Structures are given as structure tokens and as C-alpha cells.
Amino acid sequence: MNNRVLIGMSGGIDSSVAAMLLLEQGFELVGCTFRTYDSIRESCLSKEKGCCSVESIMEAKHLAGQLGFEHHIIDFRDTFKQYVIADFVNEYKQGRTPNPCVVCNSHIKWGKLLEVADELGCDRIATGHYARIAPMNGRYCLKRAADSRKDQTYFLWRLTSENLQRTIFPLGDLTKQQVREIALQHGFEKLSKKTESQEICFVPDNDYRTFLAAQGVVSVPGDYVNKDLKVIGRHAGYTNYTVGQRKGLGIALGTPAFVTKIDAENNIVALGDHDDLLENEVRIRDCFFCGDSSQPVFAQIRYRSNPTEAMYSAGKLTFAEPVWAVTPGQSAVIYQHDILVGGGIIE
């Protein structure tokens, strides 16, 4: 492989520090930032500062200039709309709760980044993700980051061994605090204090209901039912809810109520109590598994959930202890000894 690396830059602290570290290691860098969507805010008076906004794109370009390497802005709005936004909207229409970052990473940040790397003569790509890469059984696998609080392997489970063979994660062995200190040591005080958004990048203020309405998804009121399928009230449209939701239901039953199921075809939202959301088995689709199925695994059914011991077999996870609020559309990601060995979309 040559020494030329294409680094994906968001304008944030993580990808910026990743670039600084790679330069110190002697790599020849080429920066790349994708324009992926038209922000609703950019058509208004206020500025958006999130990932992939015009402001963050220009911050990335400016930083590449300060560090002394070339930078390209690539317009992938049509591709992003075709894969990420279309999937996001369709999943909600089906009564599921999608994770667009998983789709974006596989189709955009790696699928397209590798294409751009080939065009620019770069053998490898790099990003500011908190993840590591480890060999296992003749293939390249993801390994959890050293900083468990920042580990992002959950969002990267769809990356292939071929993707990882050409990938560098400079931050995999660092903590977030160490990354901030590196930015400060390099003279980027403002960058070292930069906060990060936890929202979906293309959904302003995390208001996905307004976003869906702008995409033509109409919320039609329907029935709430209980576990016996008895109608107990009216909801504002099934796309406004997700499994496990408690707040914003607009109904008082005298005891805490949670969304337990969404029937998109019939526009019905089922409510129940906390224990109605406990499950021992989870079925997943679009899955892969490269671990040892005779041994226990640890699976996460959402990004912030604790890994839970389970057994995996043919698209099914059987948990040692019940897991709560299994949400169709989210990813179930499977680990053995901190190595990501599988994943799939929850059915």
C-alpha cells in the first residue's frame, strides 16, 4: 500500500485530531468532506452547526488548510437521499424505528469514501470514529474502542472485512479527554472545547415528526389498545411513536403506560406496563455472524444499552436474562471478547 490516506472530515474535533495524528505518523493526507443533505435551517435565517452542514464543511476545509493538506468537498446529496433518508422514512412508515447512522456508514462513509479514495490515488481511508480493528479467523473485524464510553462499533457493524482492511482508526486507543488534550497541544484551543451533537444530523432539533411531515408522511389519528386489544383511547398517528416510549402519549390511564407494539397496517398503537416489554428472544434480519455459535455472545439492542449475554443461532438471539423494549428497526450488534462478530436489524 502507498502512504496516501483519504481522511473523512466532519469539521469536528475527532476527525480533526485523527488528521493531526496521521500527519505525525508520516502519512500523506487528502481531506474529504461530504455534502449529504439540504438542511431545513439553511433555508431559514439561522445557521445549522451539526455534522455535514455548510458551516461544518467549511470548518473542515479551513482546518485542512491550516494543517497543510488538500481537501475536497464532494456532493452526495442525491445518494444520501436515495439510501439514508429514503430508508429512514420507509422504516417509520412500516412502524419501525430506524438507525440512519448504520445505513450512512455502510453506504456513504465507506461505500462512497472508498470510491473517492480510488479516484484520488489513496490506498487507505481514515475517520475519527472510536473503534479498533483486529484480525480473526482470516478476516478483519471491528474491536471495541479503548474508551468504552465513546465506543462507536455499534454503528459500524455493517462494515465488511474488505472495508476494514483499508481503514485506519487513529482514535481507537484514546479517550475523549486525551483527544481534547491533543487538540490543545497542537494550538487548537477552540477546537479542544468543541461540543458534539447527539442528534440525527439531518433532523433539526431531533424533531423527526416535523421532518417526516416535510417528507410527505401524514400522521392519521388511530386507536390505542391494551394487551387485550381493547380500545382505550386515540393516538396522533403511529409514526409519532416508538416501542418503549412513555412520554408524550397524550393519555392518562392511572398507571405508567408504555408503547409495546406498533401496527402500521391498521394504524394501531398498543400500550402496556413496564414488564410487558421484557423479551427473551429477538429475531434479526439482514444479519451476518462470524463468531463461534457454540459459545455465548454479548449483544446490544440499542447504542446505549448494556451488552447482554445471549446465544445466537440462525438469525435469533436468545438472552440469558430478559431485555427491555426490543425495538423493530434498531440494530442488534453481537460481540465476543470485545470483537464485533455479528449484527442485524431487529424484526
Side-chain angles (χ1 to χ4, degrees), residues 139-321:
R139 57 180 285 135
Y140 292 89
C141 295
L142 285 163
K143 182 180 180 181
R144 287 191 183 278
D147 188 344
S148 60
R149 295 169 300 177
K150 295 299 298 179
D151 176 62
Q152 293 173 300
T153 54
Y154 176 89
F155 298 110
L156 303 173
W157 68 266
R158 278 184 163 173
L159 300 188
T160 66
S161 176
E162 291 74 21
N163 292 153
L164 297 174
Q165 185 178 6
R166 297 181 60 185
T167 299
I168 306 172
F169 291 124
L171 308 187
D173 291 316
L174 302 176
T175 65
K176 185 71 175 189
Q177 183 57 37
Q178 288 174 317
V179 168
R180 293 193 182 281
E181 291 170 358
I182 291 170
L184 186 60
Q185 291 166 5
H186 283 76
F188 293 92
E189 181 178 1
K190 182 179 179 181
L191 181 67
S192 72
K193 298 177 180 178
K194 193 169 185 177
T195 59
E196 52 193 3
S197 172
Q198 301 297 321
E199 300 177 354
I200 298 172
C201 66
F202 57 88
V203 181
D205 299 320
N206 217 26
D207 183 2
Y208 76 90
R209 296 173 179 86
T210 298
F211 178 81
L212 290 173
Q215 301 298 314
V217 179
V218 179
S219 293
V220 179
D223 290 330
Y224 278 130
V225 301
N226 62 16
K227 65 181 68 178
D228 298 318
L229 302 182
K230 178 183 177 181
V231 175
I232 55 176
R234 297 285 286 175
H235 64 71
Y238 71 86
T239 56
N240 293 297
Y241 306 94
T242 186
V243 170
Q245 181 176 334
R246 176 182 175 184
K247 296 181 179 180
L249 301 181
I251 186 172
L253 299 176
T255 58
F258 300 84
V259 174
T260 59
K261 187 177 181 181
I262 297 171
D263 181 350
E265 184 176 354
N266 297 297
N267 195 18
I268 292 173
V269 176
L271 301 180
D273 59 31
H274 180 278
D275 289 351
D276 291 328
L277 284 162
L278 292 171
E279 301 280 354
N280 282 97
E281 292 186 352
V282 176
R283 292 195 174 275
I284 56 178
R285 59 179 169 85
D286 302 335
C287 54
F288 86 95
F289 184 77
C290 63
D292 183 353
S293 60
S294 69
Q295 298 297 314
V297 300
F298 285 85
Q300 284 182 242
I301 60 169
R302 63 181 63 82
Y303 176 49
R304 291 299 183 187
S305 69
N306 292 322
T308 305
E309 184 176 340
M311 295 298 294
Y312 173 83
S313 177
K316 183 176 73 173
L317 286 162
T318 303
F319 288 89
E321 299 289 340

Side-chain angles (χ1 to χ4, degrees), residues 89-140:
V89 172
N90 184 63
E91 286 290 277
Y92 268 108
K93 284 182 177 180
Q94 301 299 317
R96 297 189 285 263
T97 305
N99 193 319
C101 293
V102 171
V103 180
C104 181
N105 283 329
S106 59
H107 285 286
I108 307 296
K109 290 182 181 175
W110 266 260
K112 292 300 179 182
L113 198 60
L114 285 168
E115 290 181 11
V116 175
D118 290 338
E119 293 171 3
L120 296 176
C122 300
D123 281 351
R124 285 169 287 190
I125 64 173
T127 73
H129 285 91
Y130 288 83
R132 293 181 286 185
I133 300 171
M136 190 186 79
N137 299 329
R139 57 180 285 135
Y140 292 89

Side-chain angles (χ1 to χ4, degrees), residues 319-341:
F319 288 89
E321 299 289 340
V323 289
W324 189 78
V326 177
T327 307
Q330 290 287 290
S331 291
V333 183
I334 306 167
Y335 299 85
Q336 286 180 324
H337 307 295
D338 281 344
I339 304 294
L340 194 157
V341 296

